[in-house]
Amino acid sequence: MPAPDSVWNTAPTSAPAQRKGRYVPGSAAHPAKMLPQIAAHAITTYTRPGDLVLDPMCGIGTTLVEAIHLDRNALGIDYEPKWANLARRNAANASSMNEGGTGTGDVHCGDARRLTHLFPTALHGTVDLVVTSPPYGSSVHGQVRSTRDTGERGVVKKDFRYSYDRTNLAHVSTDRLLRAFTEILVQCRIMLRPGGTAVVTARPWRERGELIDLPSAVLAAGRAAGLIPTERCAALLAGIRDSRLVARPSFFQMKNIRDARRQGLPLSVIQHEDVLIFIRPETGASSRVRNGGTISTRCTARATRTSDTTGTSRSRTCFNRYHHGCR
């Protein structure tokens, strides 16, 4: 198994180029697809052929597709029937394309907070690797059609919603999202074998100029779920040309950055995702699931000032605090 790198070169080509010919029609409509090379890098680094990989929020099934092509078996769950069906089709397509390969995929539609109820008890404690990402800010989601594309004036945004179901975690507040994501990680801990690995990608986003530090919150959520943090890596969203980063931002990222700079805020395009690596403890009391507890989250705002500008930017860091229930 190759040694892990702290910086993952996961965007040598664009996201559409990475997906070309490997995903069924309709897959591009998902607003927050994981970059295939991020999933592939995690799977190659932390598993061997024949291992079992799980994505509890699988979307169109990127983790499953990459696992199958790498001769791993994969399980996926998505809350939305539309995406679960697409993930199923993508997994089946990957299996048919993987001539001579042994990888298989199985997708369920349901709430990842109950994923241990969706899979047979015999699978509990057998997963070698979890790869997933929580939903986050809409500023990095969606596709744009401009005048050049449509022949009509104006810009049209499309494919920027996970769903119209208001109970979907993509629509809830950051506090509720983090509480729910901690519950999901608890479920993942039960599915993982002792010593198994969980890889969670996350990136900060901005709300009204404030930076939401999701990676730090995910780190706290993993600890609260009984997982042990072991690494923090960076997966590039930009290419590398002549030792320089080549950014590939979305239309909305560029618009947000330009708007902020006009207001004097020294913001730059985010060119990587944080990759947080956890393991399930091998044995002992630290591996017990903290049943009966509740998660509370608090967000604090802080102001920072750079030395070369008079602008001030604000960011929020979210902290999960786990409280045991009294019995």
Side-chain angles (χ1 to χ4, degrees):
M1 195 179 299
D5 300 314
S6 59
V7 178
W8 299 3
N9 183 14
T10 45
T13 58
S14 67
Q18 291 184 26
R19 297 188 187 99
K20 187 176 182 180
R22 291 164 70 93
Y23 292 79
V24 301
S27 298
H30 194 282
K33 301 171 289 296
M34 180 177 287
L35 197 63
Q37 280 295 317
I38 292 180
H41 187 102
I43 292 163
T44 301
T45 302
Y46 298 103
T47 66
R48 297 180 175 88
D51 279 356
L52 183 58
V53 180
L54 165 68
D55 188 341
M57 305 176 79
C58 71
I60 62 168
T62 300
T63 297
L64 284 77
V65 169
E66 301 308 316
I68 291 167
H69 280 294
L70 291 167
D71 292 334
R72 278 71 165 172
N73 301 311
L75 305 172
I77 296 174
D78 200 85
Y79 183 76
E80 295 293 332
K82 174 182 178 180
W83 306 127
N85 288 333
L86 263 173
R88 252 182 235 112
R89 292 170 56 202
N90 278 321
N93 184 59
S95 295
S96 66
M97 292 173 64
N98 195 26
E99 296 180 7
T102 59
T104 61
D106 183 24
V107 179
H108 289 246
C109 183
D111 190 333
R113 287 170 289 187
R114 294 179 53 82
L115 73 87
T116 53
H117 296 274
L118 298 173
F119 292 110
T121 305
L123 289 176
H124 297 182
T126 66
V127 170
D128 297 284
L129 174 67
V130 170
V131 181
T132 197
S133 179
Y136 38 78
S138 60
S139 64
V140 297
H141 299 162
Q143 300 178 38
V144 166
R145 300 190 71 194
S146 64
T147 302
R148 182 179 59 185
D149 303 311
T150 64
E152 300 177 0
R153 292 189 63 184
V155 173
V156 178
K157 184 176 181 180
K158 66 173 185 175
D159 298 336
F160 59 93
R161 291 183 183 273
Y162 290 87
S163 77
Y164 289 91
D165 183 345
R166 301 310 299 180
T167 62
N168 189 301
L169 294 182
H171 297 297
V172 304
S173 66
T174 303
D175 288 7
R176 288 181 59 194
L177 170 62
L178 292 173
R179 286 196 294 270
F181 193 62
T182 304
E183 294 175 34
I184 292 169
L185 291 180
V186 168
Q187 295 282 292
C188 289
R189 197 207 67 82
I190 298 171
M191 294 295 294
L192 280 168
R193 63 170 174 79
T197 303
V199 174
V200 183
T201 68
R203 72 178 83 165
W205 80 89
R206 297 187 183 276
E207 285 183 3
R208 301 178 184 87
E210 286 190 84
L211 184 69
I212 308 300
D213 186 5
L214 183 61
S216 293
V218 168
L219 191 63
R223 288 194 178 103
L227 298 170
I228 300 174
T230 58
E231 301 172 65
R232 184 166 182 169
C233 303
L236 294 182
L237 303 173
I240 302 176
R241 300 288 183 274
D242 300 322
S243 301
R244 294 178 178 272
L245 291 179
V246 179
R248 297 192 179 99
S250 71
F251 171 90
F252 302 104
Q253 287 174 297
M254 289 303 301
K255 180 181 184 302
N256 291 340
I257 294 300
R258 288 167 180 154
D259 290 347
R261 288 182 176 179
R262 278 194 290 269
Q263 298 173 25
L265 300 178
L267 305 187
S268 298
V269 172
I270 294 171
Q271 302 192 59
H272 76 281
E273 288 201 20
D274 285 63
V275 186
L276 304 162
I277 318 296
F278 305 88
I279 62 169
R280 173 180 169 175
E282 292 278 359
T283 56
S286 61
S287 67
R288 296 193 196 106
V289 182
R290 296 170 176 178
N291 289 324
T294 58
I295 303 294
S296 68
T297 309
R298 60 186 176 88
C299 293
T300 60
R302 65 175 183 271
T304 58
R305 189 181 299 274
T306 59
S307 59
D308 59 348
T309 178
T310 58
T312 300
S313 59
R314 295 176 62 80
S315 66
R316 280 189 288 167
T317 302
C318 301
F319 303 94
N320 274 5
R321 298 196 302 190
Y322 196 93
H323 302 284
H324 283 287
C326 298
R327 293 172 179 256

